[in-house]
Amino acid sequence: MKSRQLTDLGQQLRVDSVRAAAAAGSGHPTSSMSAADLMAVLLAHHLRYDFDRPAHPGNDRFVLSKGHASPLLYATYKAAGAINETELMTFRKLGSRLEGHPTPRRLPWVETATGSLGQGLPVGVGIALSGKRLDRVGYRVWVLCGDSEMAEGSVWEAAEHAGHEHLDNLTAIVDVNRLGQRGPTRHGHSLDAYARRFQAFGWHTIEVDGHDVDAVDRAYGEAVSTIGQPTAIIARTLKGKGVEAAQDREGLHGKPLPDPDEAIAELGGIRDIRVEVQPPPAARMLHAVRAGHLELPRFELGDRVATRDAFGQALAALGAARGDVVALDGEVSDSTRSEFFAKEHPDRFFECYIAEQQLVAAAVGLAARGWVPYASTFAAFFTRAHDFIRMASISGSGINLVGSHAGVAIGQDGPSQMGLEDLAMFRALQDSTVLYPCDANQTAHLVAAMAGCEGIRYLRTSRGASPVIYGPNEDFPIGGSKVLRVSAQDRLTIVAAGVTVNEALAAADLLDREGIPVQVIDLYSVKPVDRGTLRDAAEHTGCLLTVEDHREEGGLGDAVLDAFLDGRPTPRLVRLAVRTMPGSASPEEQLHAAGIDRESIAVSAKLLVDQAVVR
Amino acid sequence: MKSRQLTDLGQQLRVDSVRAAAAAGSGHPTSSMSAADLMAVLLAHHLRYDFDRPAHPGNDRFVLSKGHASPLLYATYKAAGAINETELMTFRKLGSRLEGHPTPRRLPWVETATGSLGQGLPVGVGIALSGKRLDRVGYRVWVLCGDSEMAEGSVWEAAEHAGHEHLDNLTAIVDVNRLGQRGPTRHGHSLDAYARRFQAFGWHTIEVDGHDVDAVDRAYGEAVSTIGQPTAIIARTLKGKGVEAAQDREGLHGKPLPDPDEAIAELGGIRDIRVEVQPPPAARMLHAVRAGHLELPRFELGDRVATRDAFGQALAALGAARGDVVALDGEVSDSTRSEFFAKEHPDRFFECYIAEQQLVAAAVGLAARGWVPYASTFAAFFTRAHDFIRMASISGSGINLVGSHAGVAIGQDGPSQMGLEDLAMFRALQDSTVLYPCDANQTAHLVAAMAGCEGIRYLRTSRGASPVIYGPNEDFPIGGSKVLRVSAQDRLTIVAAGVTVNEALAAADLLDREGIPVQVIDLYSVKPVDRGTLRDAAEHTGCLLTVEDHREEGGLGDAVLDAFLDGRPTPRLVRLAVRTMPGSASPEEQLHAAGIDRESIAVSAKLLVDQAVVR
């Protein structure tokens, strides 16, 4: 296209953004208008994309990190012929694919859900890593960022990761429109402030007038031809560009323009330019699943093995059987044991260093390219990435997260290292799967099984060794549980998972010696929960005692209750959990101090059984 | 001290670190040894601190961001005479103040809990902000960082904040020992890599040999005399310095030295140098609570007011009454309405831009200096700071967090902006307070009351206007609830909070017309929960229906169950909550689609009442 046409296309994107927001009665037209020329040039001259085949392996990947500029994205889709006028006007309405912030759940051209700022670039890094190190396809990754979101630390985790990995297939386009939601940004129109920061992290930078289509065109060309470094294009723009009443003015963030008709006239009226987007080059995916026979590690009954060790070995085995499995770790692979995978499959292992947001974002990016990622760090440190996990859930991203060093059972390191809120965090996500194995064979089976679940899957592992109580051929369906002790005389049911299973079994022995037989359930699938078995147990004993190495809110005890919250009569239930702030102590002392060891379980059980209501 | 004495002191700190870890059988001596000379020079020549009076307003503040190097911290306390030999040897043992990672819950000289990396510098920024803008006392803030933690984005949020605020009272000391937990760091001994990054964010930097005590001494002097910029001292060090078997070697992170006795001999044996630490200059706190009469805003019954508006007005009023109240926001003060406070008390308002980790960390730092911070952003975006909130809870920090735009009721913006997991996140914290008001007068009272709670307090506000249903003189104790409808004939109890209270009242009207009287409870205090009222309701109606604009896990429904989990017979309970992934739609459509609007409540109630078991 000629410059004039590009400028016209930019105006069309503005007009369509204004129209969509006006029809919706809400939305972010001014944030769209600043980046309209940047998008016009990208679409017309640089993006290689087949909108009819969004899964085409050769397609470039575009991520709208400033997700609130969704009117611009949808206007661009319209210019590319991917959606029509009628659909554009459904923006933000019930049932529309065109949500306030774009999600891949609804739109096939969206790589990842955005709208929580500072996440698009980190996920873009994951996609670019895939292109560079796994797919080996020459697609480019383009990420349109806002200037406000440069304040998020996650952007600099991403910058560090991309710079270190020399991701020259990645271009960040920073739309420096000077105005955030509340008012001016920290750095206003100082392009140099942003450029200095990117340069410090090893990026090539280009400063440009974001409304000069020729300059933008040249900048994209320079980005494409830059070797060995990612490129950041720092573009000076005006929020609300092109409409006098809005341009560069405060107080108009996230609102339709006051007079849309006048604005459209000022922008030159409605146009219908249709862009023939460059098709991607022929390409094919390398990971067309090389599925082999899965030989999970087998552990001997009675041996003592940490579930984190079993995880590492199982993941390495899974990696041998499946060519699409990749692993990432936050610089603690010697602790989480993902190092076993790293040693056997170094080409599919990604060291993310101590940057848990980038760890999860990279996993989301890799999953977007069809890989099956397992990302691991301490359970406690996944809280660092909570917002990324939340957004991954909104994306419907299929990622496996494995948190080690769960609970007070880690011992001396103290509360900063203890995952005590992780079950609550992961359970509260839409359609998540939460697994907490107690022995090595169970762990190995669950590591393989979780790959087949939808959405976010979480596996919680333990630091210390525990006895192998299941044979290597036992089955552990997701959503199942294991009844480990049962008799017709049971007076109550102890429900445990992970490190407390062994304590529950020992407590059952203690109680048995005192003539109090109890049922014991291993609830390894915390979500979905085995409603049938729990309801049978409630019927059988009338009283459940749950024991967990986790805060009392949102963990195992609450998961058990999920089986009864449909209006049916509820059994009596007592929840043993971590109620105080632990300090340093040995693992055994910690379990005792928290009141979740065998003695505490036995004492609680006796108290409950003594109460008249229990038969 | 002379150079030789400083060097000796460094060796003593190493020896004591080795001894403490050896006695504990765990810990991080090698990470302590790299920074021993840095600490020796700081303690002997630059820190101004009265260990007998840790609350002295003139004291410098020291933060051990690399919290795992706690043996070094405790060795330093011993050298300063704050703890003795016997206590040093209790390191990491049950009941000891000397935990694996230091916490202010147990030690008066610790400003903030560390151990989750990348948090010490952000909190240090908060303390330095207090010194610069509020206390107006000339103390310095010293933060000892590891090199591995430079990968955390939060470090660069902090660097940005400190650079922008020209915090020349802040010095970051980066212990570049080249080795992380698993192995080499990204940048190894490239001091320049770190210096470039800090410089880009506006810091003065000094590169130094961290084992050359004279050079370190000069660097501290230069930091102290640098005006208008924070300083980063980038120190080249060796992990395990001074012991051949450990020095600069991989595989020794987080472990006692293999042969402690030999190591101690190699380090020159046990010493007992006692440092006379410089006292702080005379100083007094400015915020000696200027407590005035609190005039909360008053809202008229029947008016429609958003609880976020009530929050903003109440906070401004609280700020007028109390000189120790400060506010912070993540660049959305026009949405959260903390702008009302910002306008009335600009000197006590801190704009943190879109950096939620730094937002919470700054609040923790301000709280450490005795201020009463209120930090606000969207409820959804507090998930970004989950790990910081978790660590603040471990610190026992008294911070108020206010999350707006809760739930699907925000409408068109879609799921990325909806706080749907926030109640689960905040409830799972030790000793947290979780409040969710439904009307403006209730909000105003809770905003004032939360300042008096221990630990983390969370207030959830709503975007849309809702009717004022309580008079301005009504009382709303923390841990209470309001019974809004009750009669002897009630067939069940609806428990609601926030936006669902109005829906519950409307449902009660619908049901009443059909001859089904129901009780309605406003459970504004989600944690602690009003056990008495809930138990009475269970007794009264036998069946509870909870309705919440939140995921079903960890929110209001689970909070209600907390009243019954002591083994007592449990009422039948049904939980209405957000079970699907919302898209864009109007607030009313969203509530309906999620099944938490008046019609859905009424339908569910009728189903339950029809079931035979309900009387």
Side-chain angles (χ1 to χ4, degrees), chain A residues 436-508:
Chain A
Y436 184 18
C438 68
D439 101 330
N441 284 315
Q442 190 179 50
T443 305
H445 281 270
L446 293 174
V447 167
M450 65 196 291
C453 300
E454 296 293 307
I456 310 293
R457 314 118 197 195
Y458 176 61
L459 182 86
R460 186 184 216 223
T461 66
S462 299
R463 176 173 177 271
S466 56
V468 176
I469 63 170
Y470 298 110
N473 297 325
E474 187 118 8
D475 238 14
F476 301 97
I478 307 277
S481 67
K482 291 287 172 185
V483 177
L484 291 173
R485 294 283 173 88
V486 66
S487 77
Q489 289 74 41
D490 291 336
R491 305 283 300 278
L492 62 74
T493 303
I494 304 174
V495 185
V499 74
T500 60
V501 169
N502 200 41
E503 299 302 313
L505 289 172

Side-chain angles (χ1 to χ4, degrees), chain A residues 26 28 92-95 99-101 105-106 114-119 148-149 151-154 156-157 160-161 164 180-187 196-197 200-201 331-335 351-357 378 380-381 383-384 386-388 390-391 393-394 412-413 415-418 421 424-425 427-430 527 551 553-554 558 561-562 564-575 579-585 589 608 611, chain B residues 26 28 92-95 99-101 105-106 114-119 148 151-154 156-157 160-161 164 180-187 196-197 200-201 331-335 351-357 378 380-381 383-384 386-388 390-391 393-394 412-413 415-418 421 424-425 427-430 527 551 553-554 558 561-562 564-575 579-585 589 608 611:
Chain A
S26 69
H28 298 75
R92 284 177 164 250
K93 296 206 172 74
L94 180 66
E99 297 176 85
H101 298 78
R105 277 184 187 258
R106 294 177 196 241
T114 51
S116 180
L117 289 170
Q119 301 209 12
S148 281
E149 64 178 325
E152 287 284 9
S154 56
W156 304 108
E157 291 184 15
E160 179 75 278
H161 199 167
H164 184 71
Q181 167 176 325
R182 176 209 36 77
T185 60
R186 237 184 208 125
H187 301 297
R196 273 202 316 273
R197 285 159 176 74
F201 287 95
E331 215 269 310
V332 287
S333 56
D334 53 333
S335 285
E351 175 59 80
C352 296
Y353 296 91
I354 305 183
E356 293 80 8
Q357 297 186 99
F378 282 28
F381 303 144
T383 58
R384 197 64 158 258
H386 189 167
D387 197 26
F388 281 77
R390 181 180 76 87
M391 291 299 295
S393 167
I394 292 174
Q412 288 83 354
D413 271 337
S416 65
Q417 318 294 301
M418 293 171 175
E421 298 90 3
M425 174 173 78
R427 281 185 62 244
L429 298 168
Q430 171 80 12
K527 183 182 176 187
R551 294 278 172 217
E553 295 91 354
D558 285 358
L561 282 162
D562 283 353
F564 303 97
L565 301 186
D566 60 352
R568 73 181 55 225
T570 311
R572 294 168 61 229
L573 194 138
V574 168
R575 201 168 50 179
R579 289 194 167 82
T580 54
M581 187 57 74
S584 284
E589 289 166 342
L608 276 167
Q611 286 174 23
Chain B
S26 69
H28 298 75
R92 283 177 165 250
K93 295 204 173 74
L94 180 66
E99 297 177 85
H101 299 79
R105 276 184 188 257
R106 294 178 194 240
T114 50
S116 180
L117 290 170
Q119 301 210 10
S148 282
E152 287 285 10
S154 56
W156 304 107
E157 291 184 14
E160 180 74 280
H161 200 167
H164 185 70
Q181 167 177 324
R182 176 208 38 76
T185 60
R186 236 183 209 126
H187 300 298
R196 273 203 316 274
R197 286 159 176 74
F201 287 95
E331 215 269 309
V332 287
S333 56
D334 54 333
S335 284
E351 174 60 80
C352 296
Y353 296 92
I354 305 184
E356 293 80 8
Q357 298 185 97
F378 283 27
F381 303 143
T383 58
R384 197 64 157 260
H386 189 167
D387 197 26
F388 281 77
R390 182 181 75 87
M391 291 298 296
S393 166
I394 292 175
Q412 288 83 353
D413 271 337
S416 65
Q417 318 294 303
M418 293 171 174
E421 299 89 2
M425 174 172 79
R427 280 185 63 245
L429 297 168
Q430 171 79 14
K527 182 182 176 186
R551 293 278 172 217
E553 295 91 354
D558 285 358
L561 281 163
D562 282 353
F564 302 98
L565 300 186
D566 58 354
R568 73 180 56 223
T570 312
R572 294 167 63 228
L573 194 137
V574 168
R575 201 168 50 179
R579 289 195 167 80
T580 55
M581 187 58 73
S584 284
E589 289 166 340
L608 275 167
Q611 285 174 23

Side-chain angles (χ1 to χ4, degrees), chain A residues 233-245:
Chain A
I233 295 172
I234 320 286
R236 184 186 195 282
T237 64
L238 298 176
K239 200 161 177 170
K241 164 76 178 174
V243 174
E244 179 59 29

